[in-house]
């Protein structure tokens, strides 16, 4: 029997008996694992073969996602993350995010995400998925496939700043998970509007001036709230929509200004909110005088310093100060209401 097995497995007979036995044991263990893994897949197929597939729920209407269909999509999603599949396909499991940076555009969301990715217990998608505003019809299985693999105890995150101003987003995220933690990065709405315009100007140099876009009627001082650069900064209005689906304690508001002046302090609040150990501290940052904002001494997966790209920290154009003051007057009552709603004074007035 032993000689037949040796010939079959082509084990060199010249090996010492002990080494030969160890080699045979290793080969037999490998074959057992292979057969077990193959059986796991085929047996799972046998249990479902011949059984009718569960009916697929009709797609929800925009803004009215079905909790039942969301759960069904989670069950049907690929990469369920069994121990065997995790072993053969890479460690960890793809999970729907437990925390999302939902806004706001030009508030500092990219900086926050890059800073958070330094934490070993945070795994985040680099690109913005835009699932809850542009790609919702693709389903949760598609969304989860975009997520990085995480180990037990790690948090999956993504950031898409346009969620904060998307009317359907709160209900859709709540349908996915009512326990999702939400982070909003806000900054002075006037500065934010100018930064927003500056970004557009860099792509479309022939657009009208900031001053002309700000007003419906400049003589009468009527602000054009339909212009997205202005509309995004009415934070209180957008927050009201989110509070219909999430308690205020489930939303963390990060100051874009303090993210620049005291990044470690703001990251401390974020880590506490996410239930993480405070690992990201002052030692992770240095201030880049050229760019005018903090940079990481070591980025995720790198031993080199890392600053945000050239598209961040653009020089703003000179804006008529009369227009700036009118915008401040326009935003003031909305800012006061936002302070009351959040329990935080961001010091914009």
């Amino acid at each position: 029997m032993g000689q037949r097995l040796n010939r079959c497995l082509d084990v060199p007979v010249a090996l010492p008996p002990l080494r030969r036995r160890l080699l045979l044991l290793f080969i037999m263990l490998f074959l057992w694992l292979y057969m077990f893994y193959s059986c796991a897949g085929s047996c799972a197929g046998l249990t479902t073969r011949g059984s009718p597939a569960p009916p697929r729920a009709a797609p929800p209407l925009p803004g009215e996602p079905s909790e039942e269909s969301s759960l069904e999509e989670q069950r049907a999603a690929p990469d369920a993350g069994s121990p065997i599949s995790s072993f053969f396909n890479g460690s960890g499991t793809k999970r729907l995010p437990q925390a999302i940076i939902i806004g706001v555009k030009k508030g500092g969301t990219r900086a926050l995400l890059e800073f958070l990715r330094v934490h070993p217990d945070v795994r985040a998608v680099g690109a913005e998925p835009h699932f809850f505003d542009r790609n919702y019809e693709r389903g949760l299985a598609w969304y989860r496939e975009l997520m990085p693999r995480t180990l037990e105890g790690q948090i999956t995150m993504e950031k898409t700043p346009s969620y904060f101003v998307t009317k359907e987003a709160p209900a859709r995220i709540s349908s996915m998970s009512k326990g999702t933690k939400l982070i909003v990065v806000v900054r002075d709405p006037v500065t934010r509007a100018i930064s927003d315009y500056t970004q557009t100007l860099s792509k479309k140099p022939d657009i009208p001036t900031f001053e002309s876009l700000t007003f419906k009627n400049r003589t009468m001082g009527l602000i054009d709230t339909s212009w997205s650069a202005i509309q995004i900064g009415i934070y209180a209005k957008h927050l009201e929509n989110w509070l219909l689906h999430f308690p205020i304690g489930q939303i963390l508001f990060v100051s874009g200004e303090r993210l620049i002046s005291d990044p470690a302090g703001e990251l401390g609040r974020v880590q506490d909110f996410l239930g993480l150990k405070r690992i990201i501290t002052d030692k992770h940052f240095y201030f880049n005088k050229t760019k005018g904002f903090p940079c990481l001494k070591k980025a995720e997966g790198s031993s080199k310093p890392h600053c945000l790209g050239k598209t961040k920290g653009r020089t703003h154009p000179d804006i008529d100060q009369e227009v700036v003051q009118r915008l401040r007057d326009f935003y003031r009552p909305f800012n006061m209401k936002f302070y009351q709603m959040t329990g935080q004074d961001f010091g914009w007035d």
Side-chain angles (χ1 to χ4, degrees):
M1 176 69 179
Q3 292 177 353
R4 211 178 303 133
L5 185 60
N6 283 340
R7 285 197 300 272
C8 179
L9 297 175
D10 196 23
V11 178
V13 181
L15 284 175
L18 180 60
R19 288 189 181 181
R20 187 169 53 190
R21 289 175 185 173
L22 289 174
L23 181 59
L24 287 172
L25 182 63
F26 174 81
I27 293 172
M28 292 175 70
L29 179 62
F30 178 82
L31 289 174
W32 180 84
L33 283 173
Y34 178 79
M35 292 173 64
F36 183 77
Y37 175 66
S38 301
C39 179
S42 60
C43 292
L46 287 172
T47 59
T48 57
R49 196 175 299 133
S51 301
R56 185 175 180 83
L61 295 173
E64 297 182 355
S66 163
E67 189 169 351
E68 290 77 12
S69 63
S70 296
L71 291 171
E72 188 61 35
E73 284 184 288
Q74 289 184 51
R75 296 189 194 102
D79 188 24
S82 67
I84 295 176
S85 64
S86 297
F87 176 80
F88 281 91
N89 299 326
S91 60
T93 303
K94 291 191 176 185
R95 298 180 175 91
L96 292 169
Q98 297 93 38
I100 303 176
I101 301 173
I102 59 173
V104 299
K105 180 184 179 185
K106 307 308 296 179
T109 59
R110 173 55 60 183
L112 177 61
L113 185 72
E114 293 300 315
F115 295 164
L116 272 176
R117 291 174 78 176
V118 173
H119 200 292
D121 290 333
V122 172
R123 299 281 285 126
V125 183
E128 296 173 4
H130 283 280
F131 175 65
F132 295 104
D133 57 351
R134 302 178 191 171
N135 296 301
Y136 193 63
E137 72 285 350
R138 293 176 180 263
L140 285 172
W142 176 87
Y143 182 48
R144 189 171 74 168
E145 192 61 30
L146 299 178
M147 299 300 131
R149 293 180 181 274
T150 53
L151 302 173
E152 192 68 31
Q154 291 184 316
I155 292 177
T156 303
M157 291 188 67
E158 71 115 319
K159 77 105 177 171
T160 303
S162 53
Y163 290 163
F164 189 63
V165 297
T166 300
K167 186 177 180 180
E168 299 82 6
R172 290 172 173 177
I173 294 177
S174 177
S175 177
M176 176 188 72
S177 173
K178 296 184 184 298
T180 306
K181 292 184 177 182
L182 308 172
I183 300 175
V184 185
V185 188
V186 290
R187 68 191 288 200
D188 183 331
V190 177
T191 308
R192 197 222 66 82
I194 296 172
S195 181
D196 198 336
Y197 172 80
T198 304
Q199 182 183 54
T200 306
L201 183 65
S202 69
K203 300 174 183 177
K204 301 177 181 178
D206 57 342
I207 61 171
T209 64
F210 180 88
E211 291 84 349
S212 63
L213 291 170
T214 298
F215 298 97
K216 283 185 177 179
N217 187 316
R218 185 168 181 176
T219 304
M220 297 178 63
L222 187 61
I223 304 294
D224 187 357
T225 56
S226 66
W227 184 29
S228 63
I230 300 295
Q231 195 256 352
I232 290 172
I234 309 175
Y235 303 138
K237 176 183 175 183
H238 304 301
L239 181 56
E240 286 177 344
N241 189 32
W242 286 89
L243 294 181
L244 296 175
H245 302 274
F246 292 93
I248 191 71
Q250 211 165 306
I251 309 175
L252 180 70
F253 300 91
V254 175
S255 166
E257 287 83 9
R258 288 196 293 270
L259 198 57
I260 294 174
S261 64
D262 182 20
E266 285 301 280
L267 264 293
R269 294 178 60 241
V270 176
Q271 290 171 96
D272 291 346
F273 175 71
L274 295 175
L276 298 170
K277 183 179 179 182
R278 283 200 178 196
I279 290 178
I280 306 172
T281 61
D282 282 321
K283 67 181 181 181
H284 289 89
F285 301 98
Y286 74 95
F287 191 80
N288 187 305
K289 294 182 180 179
T290 303
K291 286 184 170 290
F293 50 76
C295 301
L296 289 167
K297 289 182 180 178
K298 292 182 181 180
E300 179 198 27
S302 172
S303 60
K304 298 180 180 179
H306 171 69
C307 284
L308 297 178
K310 296 179 180 179
T311 60
K312 307 299 179 182
R314 294 186 184 97
T315 302
H316 291 177
D318 291 328
I319 306 297
D320 187 329
Q321 287 305 301
E322 180 191 352
V323 173
V324 172
Q325 188 56 51
R326 288 197 181 187
L327 272 178
R328 296 207 175 280
D329 295 339
F330 166 77
Y331 278 121
R332 186 169 293 108
F334 297 109
N335 291 344
M336 294 299 107
K337 185 176 181 181
F338 186 66
Y339 296 171
Q340 291 175 345
M341 296 171 76
T342 61
Q344 298 180 49
D345 185 338
F346 291 89
W348 297 325
D349 297 284

